[in-house]
Amino acid sequence: MAHFELPIHWNDHEDIAMALYEKFGNEFDEAKIYRIRFTDLLEWVLTLPNFVGTREQANEGHLEQIQAKWVYEWRDNQN
């Protein structure tokens, strides 16, 4: 049976952060995540599988939330 992934939207900050962590793993630690330029972060989000938002729907608030959730996701995986 095929696994169905729900579409991800801009306000799904936690889902986006989890997908970014899965994509990059420990390549980015907390300090590096906070230094990511929003222009880069925007491009990475737009290329995530199942992401259905558009560039025009992006705003600084979404990117800040994604960045913060990504840090939490990274912290949760440091055992």
Side-chain angles (χ1 to χ4, degrees), residues 4 14 26 30 34 43 45 48-49 53 58-59 63 77:
F4 179 73
E14 199 163 319
N26 287 324
E30 183 172 343
Y34 279 127
E43 294 304 321
V45 171
L48 290 174
N59 62 49
L63 295 170
N77 284 281

Side-chain angles (χ1 to χ4, degrees), residues 3-45:
H3 180 66
F4 179 73
E5 296 279 344
L6 292 173
I8 301 173
H9 301 271
W10 277 113
N11 58 347
D12 298 324
H13 305 135
E14 199 163 319
D15 293 333
I16 294 169
M18 287 172 35
L20 289 169
Y21 181 77
E22 287 174 15
K23 180 175 184 171
F24 293 105
N26 287 324
E27 182 179 336
F28 290 94
D29 62 14
E30 183 172 343
K32 284 185 178 178
I33 293 169
Y34 279 127
R35 287 197 305 263
I36 294 169
R37 293 182 311 197
F38 281 171
T39 52
D40 292 337
L41 184 57
L42 173 63
E43 294 304 321
W44 296 342
V45 171

Side-chain angles (χ1 to χ4, degrees), residues 31-78:
K32 284 185 178 178
I33 293 169
Y34 279 127
R35 287 197 305 263
I36 294 169
R37 293 182 311 197
F38 281 171
T39 52
D40 292 337
L41 184 57
L42 173 63
E43 294 304 321
W44 296 342
V45 171
L46 290 171
T47 62
L48 290 174
N50 307 316
F51 185 77
V52 296
T54 65
R55 182 181 307 275
E56 294 72 31
Q57 294 168 322
N59 62 49
E60 194 170 311
H62 286 310
L63 295 170
E64 287 172 350
Q65 284 295 312
I66 291 164
Q67 211 171 28
K69 298 287 187 193
W70 187 358
V71 166
Y72 293 137
E73 187 66 24
W74 178 83
R75 284 182 189 161
D76 285 349
N77 284 281
Q78 303 309 303

